[in-house]
Amino acid sequence: MSSAQQATVEAAALAALMRADPAKKAIAVRALLADWQSGALLRAGRAVVDGPVCSPGRPPRPELVSPDAVPRRAPGSREGHAALLHAVAHIEFNAINLALDCVARFWDQPDEFVTDWLGVAVEEAYHFGLVCGRLAADGYAYGDFPAHNGLWDMCCDTAGDFVARMALVPRLLEARGLDATPPMIAKLLKGGDADTVAVLQIILRDEIGHVAIGDRWFRAGCAARGLQAESEYRDLIVRFDAPWPKPPFNVPARLQAGFSQNELDRLANERPAPYRTPRKPA
């Protein structure tokens, strides 16, 4: 195949994003990273997707409901345990799509950006498989419980702004997992579920790296625009009406992922008043 006919990494990422079957999506992202690393894929040099992808490839289940409509189940029951695992699986599946959308959308970023986010997509697919394995051990499968679409809604809201995307998806919403996972691990250890704890420890280790990737590209985007990164981060949270980071923070993990102690202190203690000029819909 001549270079003029070679597929582009952005188009291939978009095709993988639109795959609905989770197993086929996982295969596609592994092949995509391998093809990119081997030089089989070129850069598009232009946009391959216009506007937000509000309906990415995903299976017909789970049913997507509002966050308030997701049923609360007793965590000590078998069903409650499975519901917890299902929520984690849903986050991991969405995270595959989030990484693919970054590659497909932000065509003008350096090659290192592509490598970073394809690596994230592969790791998120691995996490999804691990959690689905634990879900199967409970007698359930992905799709058996309703889920909400908050993470993907923010992806759509930030489709037109690279800095906002890096700030509000990996550095804000995905970083919440750094705080939530250790208490989850403690509860599961208390219940004697060492197998699920081992899976969550892998996810926590890798997610520190994923948030760090978002942090690095957020800071690079801010530098390119002459913005002070940490103040811009706080301003974006308010302007997009995103959830303010809620302590207690997993401080060691967040520091490793690129947050400064000063920033964490300000996030914990200086929540601003609501933004007074509503943002325009994406």
Side-chain angles (χ1 to χ4, degrees):
M1 183 182 291
S2 70
S3 60
Q5 296 173 312
Q6 271 186 282
T8 70
V9 68
E10 290 88 353
L14 181 60
L17 172 64
M18 301 311 296
R19 283 186 176 269
D21 182 85
K24 291 180 179 178
K25 191 185 292 282
I27 292 169
V29 297
R30 291 193 294 269
L32 181 51
L33 178 59
D35 287 346
W36 168 248
Q37 291 175 328
S38 73
L41 295 171
L42 301 178
R43 298 299 303 275
R46 59 178 178 80
V48 300
V49 58
D50 295 320
V53 179
C54 291
S55 298
R58 56 184 163 218
R61 298 170 65 240
E63 176 190 7
L64 297 179
V65 299
S66 71
D68 292 340
V70 176
R72 301 287 186 259
R73 294 175 170 86
S77 68
R78 176 171 164 272
E79 185 182 44
H81 184 268
L84 173 65
L85 290 170
H86 190 275
V88 176
H90 185 62
I91 291 169
E92 299 303 322
F93 182 79
N94 269 325
I96 305 169
N97 282 343
L98 289 164
L100 290 169
D101 186 86
C102 284
V103 175
R105 182 171 307 282
F106 299 115
W107 61 271
D108 55 348
Q109 295 301 312
D111 287 357
E112 184 185 358
F113 178 84
V114 173
T115 302
D116 278 348
W117 288 104
L118 289 181
V120 169
V122 168
E123 289 187 345
E124 301 291 17
Y126 172 58
H127 297 166
F128 177 75
L130 290 176
V131 179
C132 285
R134 297 304 307 144
L135 194 56
D138 277 347
Y140 292 88
Y142 181 58
D144 285 350
F145 297 90
H148 70 80
N149 210 33
L151 192 58
W152 194 259
D153 288 344
M154 185 60 75
C155 182
C156 293
D157 286 351
T158 57
D161 189 327
F162 175 76
V163 168
R165 169 66 65 83
M166 294 296 105
L168 300 180
V169 177
R171 204 174 188 268
L172 178 65
L173 297 186
E174 293 190 87
R176 293 164 74 181
L178 304 183
D179 307 324
T181 302
M184 197 185 311
I185 286 173
K187 289 180 181 178
L188 291 169
L189 277 174
K190 189 175 180 179
D193 187 0
D195 290 335
T196 301
V197 166
V199 168
L200 293 181
Q201 287 172 334
I202 291 169
I203 292 174
L204 178 59
R205 177 200 68 198
D206 292 344
E207 291 298 340
I208 292 171
H210 300 172
V211 176
I213 287 170
D215 175 80
R216 183 164 68 252
W217 290 107
F218 167 68
R219 291 181 185 277
C222 285
R225 297 183 189 182
L227 301 171
Q228 202 287 324
E230 293 181 4
S231 62
E232 179 67 11
Y233 180 68
R234 296 190 298 276
D235 188 50
L236 284 167
I237 295 172
V238 178
R239 278 194 279 134
F240 278 77
D241 193 27
W244 194 263
K246 185 178 180 180
F249 298 134
N250 182 348
V251 173
R254 282 182 175 263
L255 292 177
Q256 192 176 342
F259 290 81
S260 70
Q261 185 63 60
N262 179 66
E263 180 179 17
L264 294 177
D265 292 342
R266 294 195 67 175
L267 290 172
N269 299 309
E270 298 181 21
R271 182 169 182 167
Y275 194 66
R276 296 189 180 279
T277 304
R279 62 184 176 88
K280 294 180 180 180

